[in-house]
Amino acid sequence: KLGLPVVLTLCLYQGPTIGYCQPASVQQVALDFPGLQLVVAHACYPWIPQIFSVAAVCGNVWLLPDLYLLNPMTPGNEMYANGLRWLDCERILFGSAYPCYDMRQAVEDMERFDLTPAQREKLLYGNAAALLRL
């Protein structure tokens, strides 16, 4: 009712098994509460194509892939980069997961994605501003 987003932290390390971070649960909540803005921190790692598919069909799902996108050593991180381009950076939020991953390093690592200036602006500011109604 207040228009505040809800942040869900979903990834391999949250929960006793990998089943706790499956994107189908996010999609069900998004469909049940279409006025609720859901931010998925860690973007359901390692269910990368699935969560981008959910974000593509649910306009109230926002992804915050943070270190799983930015760290070039993360298995599958290129799938996140492909997801960025597929969604044209819509509803994707920048974050580093500091202190787990250094903010300066996160910005440097983002450069390898060759984003357009418009995509970069969305990722670094515009999407967050839209989500928070700034």
Side-chain angles (χ1 to χ4, degrees), residues 4-41:
L4 298 173
V6 171
V7 179
L8 308 171
T9 302
L10 296 172
C11 75
L12 173 66
Y13 300 107
Q14 305 297 317
T17 71
I18 197 170
Y20 281 75
C21 63
Q22 290 188 359
S25 59
V26 174
Q27 185 176 27
Q28 191 61 61
V29 173
L31 293 172
D32 288 348
F33 301 95
L36 179 63
Q37 301 303 305
L38 296 168
V39 177
V40 185

Side-chain angles (χ1 to χ4, degrees), residues 17-129:
T17 71
I18 197 170
Y20 281 75
C21 63
Q22 290 188 359
S25 59
V26 174
Q27 185 176 27
Q28 191 61 61
V29 173
L31 293 172
D32 288 348
F33 301 95
L36 179 63
Q37 301 303 305
L38 296 168
V39 177
V40 185
H42 302 316
C44 292
Y45 183 82
W47 304 101
I48 303 165
Q50 293 87 348
I51 194 58
F52 273 94
S53 297
V54 169
V57 299
C58 296
N60 57 332
V61 172
W62 302 70
L63 304 180
L64 178 58
D66 50 65
L67 66 92
Y68 296 104
L69 163 71
L70 298 167
N71 185 343
M73 300 304 291
T74 301
N77 90 329
E78 188 56 40
M79 285 191 278
Y80 279 120
N82 289 337
L84 283 176
R85 291 186 281 273
W86 184 48
L87 294 180
D88 194 31
C89 290
E90 291 295 326
R91 295 186 327 280
I92 312 294
L93 304 168
F94 177 83
S96 71
Y98 180 85
C100 297
Y101 202 67
D102 182 71
M103 179 67 76
R104 183 174 292 123
Q105 187 65 53
V107 172
E108 289 174 16
D109 287 340
M110 190 184 72
E111 295 302 319
R112 76 183 186 284
F113 300 131
D114 295 322
L115 301 174
T116 67
Q119 289 170 328
R120 186 178 167 87
E121 190 277 335
K122 285 186 223 178
L123 186 61
L124 293 176
Y125 170 76
N127 291 337

